[in-house]
Amino acid sequence: MKALILAAGAGTRLFPYTLSSPKHMLPIANKPLLEYNVEQVASMGMKELGIVVGHRKEQIMGYFGDGKKWGLKITYIEQEKRMGISHAILTAEKFIGNDKFVVILGDNLFMDDLSQQMGEFLSSGAEAGIGVQKVDDGRFFGIVEMRDGKVLEIVEKPEKPASDIASVGLYFFSSPKVFGVIRKQKPSARGEIEIADTLMGLVSSGSHVKPLWIKKRWKDTGRRSELLDANRAILGDMNENRVSKDAVVTGSEIIPPCIIGEGCIISKSRIGPFVSMGNGCRVEGAKISESIICEGTEIRFSEPIKNSIIGRMCKVIKKGNSSISVNIGDHSEIIEDGL
């Protein structure tokens, strides 16, 4: 069985952070989001991984290389035109060949060990499997209707959802049959080859599409608030402070859970809870909570910073009287006049 992670999207909903970095490489608890999914593939016992790349592909390829660090052989497949999930799957047809395969959306974060879902799929004899979970508001998801352990219908982002069961970014396929279905599809109104239409094409042909329940938390990190939620979830499971041995912390309080990267210098500050701080940051006189601070950033700001994402190599230098929410991209500066 092979694995395919889709990581080609530009992440426009996460501008400005994704202007200089793929959304899949944004840090969650000081580790690229995509790395959590690469680790999932390794834990599922697979050896061959294809990563579909596009926007800022060189950063993904440079970080993961040939995959040996994770016990994997990684093949990179470029999706030159971003035309949806099924189009991305089709670009990997040569890599997949005749093997069974799993597809993971690279901007999704799964707290489950997906080995269980893989086992359920393989033992079911189904042609395809789809990860599902109950959600509060189905208008933002593909909504799944099912009966007797089989998918009957999938409706993408309906105005009036017929159920509260949503599809999540996990798909299994047992044969190359899916590629034939995709080739027959026409783009949707938004110009994409939709995965919901692909799965319904399999259902219409009489194939068994099995719902696979995701039991633990699952995060779609396509928006800033969702990225912060994912960071909070990982740190919450960690439930402790992890401060790099060579970080220098003086006259400061680190409120768990937080992770502080290598070479950070923190003085006269209160950090936490739920703060991820990348390598080489310098922080003085700051109060930071529930935020992601990327590597190489300097912060000298006297009022609280909360629910913020600050990109790489930024400067936030100001003396003020009220709190702010800071959301700026790489190499940006916020500096009070005269400093």
Side-chain angles (χ1 to χ4, degrees):
M1 192 169 192
K2 293 178 180 176
L4 189 66
I5 298 178
L6 308 188
T12 55
R13 292 180 297 172
L14 281 168
F15 279 1
Y17 321 114
T18 50
L19 290 171
S20 55
S21 178
K23 62 180 177 178
H24 313 87
M25 295 300 288
L26 294 175
I28 303 292
N30 281 9
K31 186 162 64 176
L33 170 62
L34 184 56
E35 189 168 358
Y36 291 96
N37 286 319
V38 170
E39 290 173 344
Q40 278 278 10
V41 170
S43 71
M44 293 164 78
M46 281 175 273
K47 298 300 180 183
E48 292 190 64
L49 166 62
I51 302 180
V52 178
V53 295
H55 177 65
R56 300 285 183 179
K57 63 181 180 180
E58 67 282 351
Q59 293 185 32
I60 293 174
M61 296 168 70
Y63 186 89
F64 292 101
D66 60 11
K68 286 183 180 178
K69 178 180 176 180
W70 296 269
L72 298 166
K73 178 183 178 182
I74 295 180
T75 299
Y76 297 96
I77 305 115
E78 184 170 7
Q79 185 185 19
E80 294 183 358
K81 293 183 179 180
R82 263 76 86 187
M83 294 178 60
I85 294 171
S86 288
H87 180 265
I89 293 171
L90 188 60
T91 64
E93 182 176 12
K94 183 178 179 181
F95 165 74
I96 297 299
N98 293 317
D99 289 298
K100 296 179 174 67
F101 65 104
V102 59
V103 177
I104 300 173
L105 302 192
D107 60 355
N108 281 215
L109 179 67
F110 295 92
M111 311 302 281
D112 287 53
D113 178 351
L114 299 179
S115 298
Q116 180 178 344
Q117 286 77 13
M118 180 177 69
E120 290 177 10
F121 170 71
L122 292 175
S123 64
S124 71
E127 181 65 36
I130 177 173
V132 296
Q133 190 175 82
K134 289 190 175 184
V135 295
D136 293 330
D137 190 344
R139 294 175 300 167
F140 302 103
F141 302 93
I143 293 300
V144 180
E145 295 183 49
M146 63 182 76
R147 185 171 62 239
D148 300 328
K150 294 184 178 181
V151 171
L152 300 179
E153 188 172 9
I154 305 171
V155 181
E156 191 66 32
K157 298 179 181 178
E159 289 188 11
K160 296 181 179 180
S163 82
D164 60 352
I165 301 171
S167 65
V168 303
L170 177 70
Y171 310 93
F172 290 89
F173 299 97
S174 65
S175 78
K177 181 178 180 179
V178 64
F179 297 118
V181 173
I182 295 172
R183 273 193 288 270
K184 293 177 182 178
Q185 286 180 235
K186 294 181 179 180
S188 65
R190 60 177 183 167
E192 295 193 356
I193 308 298
E194 305 283 359
I195 186 65
D197 293 342
T198 302
L199 294 168
M200 288 311 301
L202 289 171
V203 170
S204 298
S205 71
S207 295
H208 176 193
V209 177
K210 181 176 177 58
L212 301 164
W213 286 97
I214 303 299
K215 298 178 176 62
K216 295 184 180 178
R217 286 168 296 174
W218 154 78
K219 300 289 183 182
D220 180 349
T221 62
R223 295 180 175 85
R224 181 183 69 89
S225 61
E226 295 165 341
L227 201 66
L228 288 169
D229 283 346
N231 186 66
R232 194 177 292 111
I234 293 293
L235 291 177
D237 283 355
M238 192 172 72
N239 198 32
E240 64 179 3
N241 284 334
R242 295 185 184 176
V243 180
S244 178
K245 291 181 180 179
D246 67 351
V248 178
V249 181
T250 57
S252 299
E253 181 183 13
I254 311 295
I255 304 169
C258 290
I259 185 165
I260 308 297
E262 298 176 0
C264 288
I265 300 175
I266 302 171
S267 64
K268 302 175 184 177
S269 297
R270 186 177 73 235
I271 309 298
F274 301 108
V275 171
S276 296
M277 186 176 295
N279 297 340
C281 291
R282 299 175 67 91
V283 178
E284 180 183 350
K287 304 177 184 72
I288 306 171
S289 63
E290 300 183 74
S291 296
I292 298 171
I293 312 299
C294 297
E295 63 184 39
T297 283
E298 180 181 359
I299 299 175
R300 286 186 281 133
F301 187 82
S302 59
E303 296 301 323
I305 296 174
K306 184 177 181 180
N307 294 328
S308 299
I309 302 174
I310 303 179
R312 296 172 295 177
M313 309 301 294
C314 294
K315 292 184 178 181
V316 182
I317 302 175
K318 187 180 186 297
K319 293 182 179 179
N321 297 315
S322 60
S323 66
I324 62 170
S325 178
V326 179
N327 300 288
I328 56 178
D330 299 348
H331 300 284
S332 301
E333 296 184 359
I334 299 177
I335 302 176
E336 184 179 13
D337 287 344
L339 292 179

